[in-house]
Amino acid sequence: MAPRKRVQSQAAGPPQALVDNAKKRRAATDASTNAASRKRKRASEAEASQVEQAKVKRPKWGRVVGRLAGLMEMPMDILFEIFGHLMPLDVLRLARTTKQFRRLLMHRSAVSIWIAARKNVPDLPDCPPYMSEPQFANLVFDTHCHECLAPNIRSVDWRIARRICSKCAKECMVEDYSCFHGESVYKAVPSKYGKRGRPSYYAKDLNEFQLKRASFTEPEERDKFVKERQALVVQMEKHGAQLEAWAANQAKDRSEQLDDLRRERKEAIIEKLTHLGWGHEIEQIPYRDDLSHHRLVKQPTRLTPRIWANIQGEMVNYMEQMKTQRLERERKALVISRKRIAISILRDYKISRLPLTDIMPEPMDFCALPPVLEILELPTETQVTEATFAPIVETMDEFISEWRTGILGQLVQKVKDSLHPPPVSRQSESATTTATSGTASSSSAHPSGKGKAKAVEPPIPNDSQIIQDLSLATTVFNCKNCNPRFGNYGHYGSSYGADTDSEDEFFDWEFGFGPRRLRSTSNPLFFPKVLGHRCLTKQHGFNWDNPNGDPTRQYDYPMGNRTRWGCHLLQLDEKAGKMAANVISACELDPETTTSVQMDESSHRLACLECLDWSDEVQDEAEASVFGWRAAVTHNCRMHPARTNIKWKLIDDKLATRIVDADEEYKLNSIVSMLMLQGLVPDAYADPPEEVAWLCVQCMDLPNETECMELSKMKTHLNMTHSISEPQENRDYYKDYEVPQGRKARIPKLRITLNMDRPYDVPGPGERRHESWCLGLSLSDEEFEDDYFDDYFF
């Protein structure tokens, strides 16, 4: 059986192989077809997915979601080790990210993480026992307001453990007041210093303390609670002081770090500019323009190539400006050095003309002369020495004469403006017309009754006539700087008082402080000495306008600066002119022709009959003050400011022998002499009063030029400052041109006894006298004496 089967199988083998091969071919064809179809299907699916993805665009900077979730799958010991290397603020922010982190980090078992993070901050005090670690980290490092959560709140009230913004502080903080039964909460509730040093409390702490204290019914428990709170407050204040010190150190360290960054940036910028050729120019920059003050240099960031490329153009422009300013400074310094040479030439000229008999220019006026200014403004390359000024020295008299003519013209113009003021505006003119309509209508009517007469203006005098009138002793000027109240004396509206000659306006009750006498603190000024008044060329006060040390403007004693000659401070004083005319008439001279020089050459003396001191022993005997003509005008201005026709008595040669010097008489007093011998009265009282009229030749026209002094003080100055032990007049010191007038002119205290009839209203000897002292006043001259430092401020 078996062989037969094998034979059959062999016989049937070829057809079966063909069949199998056909099947294999069909299977391969089907597989390739299926694979192609699957490829096409996958390609179509890929294309469809790409289209869908194209339709739904993901953001370019999408939020990374879920990456921190893997941290919670890490072992806790590794996680705690990682968190221990963070800063407290980082741990605090991490606890606010998810609920899982919050549950982990806010648990008591995570306190080691907070302690390790806190120790990463150098010198930070330990967490106080009355706060948890997260609370402490939130107080110290989080910059949000604890009330309104406003950001960037840098101020922390460490003693009350709160970070509150200024807006919330107005509502949350309250001042100290009695909170319970008249008792204070002092030291029982944490507080800080409020307004005017009063304690300021946090309102929630106050309410909590009051409610807690009110909950105790037993006094012992209540007192125990108060003591516990007081101990807590002491602990909070102690820890708050430590935190304040730590915060101050942190701010200091941060400031130093920023300074280091700025310094590194400045050095890097200087290095860049030096490579561009600005190294020498940087060394010449003054401190006020230093590179550290530039907005692009003082930034606390490192200089990178990109930043330098952005700021290079502006920094180069800044260096070009610094170069321009340096050239200007060098030019000013060169002109100043030339001015010093010009001042030395002017000094030599003045010294050779001592004593001064005419007005001389100050350094500022001399350097403003056209020929001198031309030399000062020569090109920088030209060297200027004293020889350069030789042509000017040869014709100095002509230049100074022209300058005197110029200032005289200014004074003449000033007089013209005073005689004919500028026209009044229509608005003020209408107001004046309305206010004076009653008197104007009657005074402006024509004498014949036909309409109104036109106002006739006086003719304008020419310059020669004005110059001739300036020389008269009745032309009086007053300096606004020496007397700031000039032209504004209370409610009188005139230079010295009311426009009345009948009564002496003695009292002024307007201000409610009792009676006071009107007086002027300056002396009347007369031509030609008025041209040398020191206020016309020197201004007292702080010298803010001379930063470069210009020697023509610098004036150190007293603090001030020199100016060019100007008469804007002068003002014609018509009332004082009438007083001077009255004095000249009393001297039996003609006020229309008498000049101030003629009055100075005369030796007339006058006694004031308005200030008589009647004797208490003799019926017809009175003591009167004696003055020279200038002192008489000054006395009239000060003691009788409202009157221009007071009575004077001319002292003839016979009466002149009876004149007594009050200062000498005072020293001859036996009591005063005894006090001088005992050393109880200063030695200055033993010396006769001196005239303040002397100036130093060595300091002439220099920045350290002094004011006028007495002769004794001038000699002391020369000895101490210039080492001149034996000075000589007109070589080491000279008399000021302005003398005998000026702010420091001395009025001698001369008295004379006159025999004259006693008026009926003056009490006789032995009778009761009602003098002005009963009203709290004194009429003596000593009260109104012009003190040495009366017109100066310090």
Side-chain angles (χ1 to χ4, degrees):
M1 290 288 298
R4 188 176 53 196
K5 289 181 180 179
R6 185 169 56 247
V7 171
Q8 291 176 357
S9 62
Q10 291 176 354
Q16 186 68 30
L18 295 173
V19 173
D20 293 339
N21 291 335
K23 289 181 178 180
K24 290 180 180 179
R25 285 194 296 270
R26 285 196 301 269
T29 304
D30 294 340
S32 61
T33 304
N34 294 334
S37 63
R38 285 195 299 272
K39 268 185 187 179
R40 288 193 296 270
K41 185 177 180 179
R42 284 196 300 269
S44 62
E45 291 178 353
E47 292 177 359
S49 63
Q50 290 177 1
V51 171
E52 292 179 357
Q53 290 179 1
K55 291 181 179 179
V56 182
K57 292 185 179 180
R58 296 181 61 186
K60 185 177 182 180
W61 300 102
R63 184 178 179 182
V64 180
V65 182
R67 294 196 176 182
L68 289 178
L71 289 175
M72 301 303 297
E73 300 176 0
M74 299 177 64
M76 285 299 172
D77 54 347
I78 298 177
L79 196 62
F80 277 34
E81 182 67 23
I82 293 174
F83 290 165
H85 290 278
L86 298 178
M87 301 299 287
L89 183 59
D90 299 330
V91 179
L92 187 65
R93 290 174 176 172
L94 187 62
R96 295 171 177 172
T97 54
T98 64
K99 293 182 179 180
Q100 292 180 340
F101 279 119
R102 182 176 181 82
R103 190 180 306 112
L104 172 65
L105 295 175
M106 291 302 176
H107 198 269
R108 292 182 180 275
S109 60
V111 67
S112 59
I113 297 177
W114 295 95
I115 295 176
R118 174 167 50 80
K119 291 183 178 180
N120 292 333
V121 181
D123 301 329
L124 178 64
D126 295 335
C127 178
Y130 52 84
M131 296 181 68
S132 64
E133 289 287 348
Q135 288 177 343
F136 184 62
N138 181 59
L139 173 67
V140 177
F141 298 103
D142 195 359
T143 59
H144 288 77
C145 175
H146 290 181
E147 292 292 328
C148 64
L149 299 180
N152 300 324
I153 306 302
R154 301 297 178 182
S155 60
V156 184
D157 299 326
W158 301 106
R159 297 181 184 272
I160 64 174
R162 294 290 189 279
R163 186 188 292 265
I164 304 175
C165 64
S166 59
K167 182 179 180 180
C168 296
K170 298 178 181 179
E171 302 176 357
C172 299
M173 304 302 297
V174 295
E175 298 292 338
D176 183 18
Y177 64 97
S178 298
C179 298
F180 52 90
H181 302 293
E183 300 180 9
S184 175
V185 297
Y186 181 66
K187 295 298 184 182
V189 178
S191 64
K192 68 171 185 176
Y193 291 110
K195 297 179 180 179
R196 301 177 182 176
R198 293 178 295 185
S200 181
Y201 300 94
Y202 188 52
K204 293 182 180 180
D205 291 343
L206 267 180
N207 296 333
E208 179 187 357
F209 172 78
Q210 292 174 352
L211 294 175
K212 186 71 174 177
R213 186 182 181 280
S215 64
F216 295 102
T217 58
E218 297 295 333
E220 296 179 356
E221 296 179 355
R222 186 164 54 247
D223 295 341
K224 181 181 179 181
F225 169 72
V226 172
K227 290 181 180 179
E228 290 177 355
R229 293 301 300 266
Q230 289 178 349
L232 176 63
V233 170
V234 171
Q235 190 176 9
M236 292 181 67
E237 289 182 352
K238 181 179 179 180
H239 194 267
Q242 296 177 0
L243 286 174
E244 286 179 356
W246 174 81
N249 292 332
Q250 289 293 311
K252 181 180 178 181
D253 295 341
R254 178 58 178 168
S255 178
E256 292 177 355
Q257 292 176 4
L258 296 178
D259 291 340
D260 293 339
L261 291 175
R262 294 188 183 97
R263 183 166 50 253
E264 293 176 0
R265 183 184 178 96
K266 176 185 174 182
E267 293 174 356
I269 291 177
I270 290 176
E271 184 178 358
K272 295 288 187 181
L273 291 175
T274 303
H275 290 328
L276 295 178
W278 295 100
H280 176 71
E281 200 64 42
I282 294 175
E283 297 177 356
Q284 305 296 325
I285 296 178
Y287 174 76
R288 65 176 181 273
D289 298 327
D290 190 70
L291 286 175
S292 58
H293 302 155
H294 196 278
R295 62 178 185 85
L296 297 179
V297 180
K298 63 181 180 181
Q299 298 178 4
T301 55
R302 299 184 182 277
L303 186 69
T304 61
R306 180 181 61 82
I307 295 177
W308 172 246
N310 294 333
I311 69 174
Q312 180 178 356
E314 186 171 349
M315 295 306 302
V316 170
N317 293 336
Y318 180 76
M319 294 306 302
E320 292 177 353
Q321 295 177 7
M322 293 298 101
K323 181 179 180 180
T324 303
Q325 295 180 9
R326 177 183 61 82
L327 295 176
E328 292 177 356
R329 290 196 304 271
E330 292 177 353
R331 176 63 181 177
K332 290 180 180 179
L334 178 63
V335 174
I336 286 175
S337 63
R338 294 174 177 178
K339 286 182 178 180
R340 291 193 177 96
I341 301 175
I343 292 174
S344 64
I345 294 174
L346 176 63
R347 280 169 45 84
D348 295 339
Y349 177 81
K350 285 185 178 182
I351 294 173
S352 64
R353 266 58 176 185
L354 292 179
L356 299 179
T357 57
D358 204 345
I359 179 67
M360 287 288 186
E362 295 286 325
M364 199 167 185
D365 292 296
F366 179 72
C367 293
L369 295 177
V372 180
L373 187 61
E374 183 180 354
I375 295 177
L376 297 178
E377 297 297 335
L378 286 174
T380 305
E381 299 78 12
T382 306
Q383 185 176 3
V384 176
T385 60
E386 292 186 1
T388 311
F389 291 90
I392 296 179
V393 174
E394 296 175 356
T395 57
M396 183 79 79
D397 294 334
E398 299 178 4
F399 293 141
I400 292 181
S401 178
E402 294 178 359
W403 173 79
R404 289 170 181 159
T405 304
I407 64 172
L408 183 59
Q410 295 183 36
L411 186 62
V412 169
Q413 186 63 39
K414 178 71 176 181
V415 173
K416 284 184 178 181
D417 296 340
S418 300
L419 295 176
H420 301 279
V424 185
S425 61
R426 294 183 178 180
Q427 190 174 10
S428 60
E429 184 179 359
S430 61
T432 305
T433 305
T434 304
T436 59
S437 58
T439 56
S441 60
S442 60
S443 60
S444 59
H446 194 271
S448 61
K450 298 179 181 180
K452 296 183 179 180
K454 294 183 179 180
V456 179
E457 296 183 357
I460 300 176
N462 53 27
D463 293 351
S464 59
Q465 181 64 33
I466 293 179
I467 294 175
Q468 184 177 358
D469 293 341
L470 283 176
S471 303
L472 298 178
T474 55
T475 303
V476 185
F477 293 90
N478 209 311
C479 177
K480 300 178 184 178
N481 189 33
C482 297
N483 182 16
R485 295 179 296 173
F486 180 76
N488 184 17
Y489 280 81
H491 59 280
Y492 292 100
S494 63
S495 298
Y496 290 106
D499 294 330
T500 174
D501 296 336
S502 59
E503 295 293 338
D504 185 6
E505 295 291 343
F506 185 82
F507 298 111
D508 178 13
W509 299 86
E510 179 183 6
F511 300 103
F513 295 105
R516 58 190 292 262
R517 177 182 290 274
L518 302 175
R519 75 183 183 103
S520 170
T521 58
S522 64
N523 295 318
L525 305 176
F526 299 88
F527 186 85
K529 298 290 186 178
V530 68
L531 297 175
H533 188 56
R534 297 181 72 79
C535 294
L536 305 183
T537 56
K538 298 179 180 65
Q539 295 180 356
H540 300 289
F542 292 103
N543 186 12
W544 301 111
D545 300 330
N546 189 22
N548 297 321
D550 189 347
T552 62
R553 302 182 61 184
Q554 190 173 356
Y555 185 52
D556 300 335
Y557 182 83
M559 292 179 295
N561 61 307
R562 301 177 188 269
T563 60
R564 294 189 62 179
W565 192 95
C567 57
H568 60 282
L569 293 176
L570 296 179
Q571 185 168 347
L572 272 178
D573 194 345
E574 296 181 2
K575 185 173 285 293
K578 296 178 182 178
M579 297 175 183
N582 184 36
V583 170
I584 296 172
S585 299
C587 295
E588 300 178 355
L589 296 175
D590 185 9
E592 299 292 337
T593 58
T594 305
T595 64
S596 59
V597 177
Q598 295 174 352
M599 291 297 297
D600 289 334
E601 294 174 352
S602 64
S603 58
H604 295 100
R605 294 187 179 183
L606 302 170
C608 180
L609 301 182
E610 306 291 339
C611 303
L612 295 177
D613 186 8
W614 291 95
S615 175
D616 293 337
E617 299 177 356
V618 182
Q619 174 67 22
D620 297 331
E621 186 176 280
E623 194 176 51
S625 299
V626 179
F627 307 95
W629 82 275
R630 288 179 181 270
V633 178
T634 303
H635 172 77
N636 195 166
C637 294
R638 296 186 179 184
M639 303 304 296
H640 314 286
R643 300 181 59 187
T644 59
N645 59 345
I646 66 174
K647 297 180 181 180
W648 298 96
K649 181 175 179 58
L650 182 62
I651 306 299
D652 53 17
D653 296 338
K654 183 178 180 180
L655 292 176
T657 58
R658 300 163 60 179
I659 296 177
V660 178
D661 192 341
D663 295 325
E664 294 292 338
E665 189 178 26
Y666 170 78
K667 289 185 298 179
L668 293 177
N669 188 292
S670 59
I671 299 178
V672 177
S673 301
M674 181 181 65
L675 293 176
M676 288 181 178
L677 293 176
Q678 296 295 330
L680 300 178
V681 176
D683 296 338
Y685 287 92
D687 299 329
E690 300 180 77
E691 186 180 15
V692 184
W694 303 99
L695 293 171
C696 178
V697 174
Q698 310 298 327
C699 302
M700 177 191 295
D701 293 338
L702 297 180
N704 59 344
E705 184 177 2
T706 60
E707 286 281 345
C708 289
M709 300 182 183
E710 297 90 338
L711 184 58
S712 59
K713 292 184 179 180
M714 177 53 64
K715 292 181 178 180
T716 303
H717 165 77
L718 291 169
N719 189 17
M720 299 295 294
T721 307
H722 305 290
S723 301
I724 301 176
S725 57
E726 297 181 357
Q728 296 182 8
E729 185 178 353
N730 297 327
R731 189 195 68 180
D732 302 309
Y733 61 92
Y734 65 100
K735 181 172 286 189
D736 188 14
Y737 171 74
E738 189 184 5
V739 174
Q741 64 186 16
R743 293 195 299 177
K744 292 188 177 182
R746 176 181 174 270
I747 300 178
K749 297 180 181 180
L750 304 178
R751 308 285 291 180
I752 189 173
T753 302
L754 300 176
N755 296 325
M756 53 192 310
D757 296 336
R758 183 186 294 261
Y760 67 91
D761 57 342
V762 177
E767 298 179 4
R768 183 177 179 181
R769 303 182 63 182
H770 298 278
E771 294 185 354
S772 58
W773 56 264
C774 66
L775 297 177
L777 299 174
S778 176
L779 298 183
S780 62
D781 293 340
E782 296 179 359
E783 179 184 355
F784 304 100
E785 180 184 0
D786 197 8
D787 189 69
Y788 186 85
F789 298 103
D790 189 29
D791 300 322
Y792 292 89
F793 56 88
F794 297 91

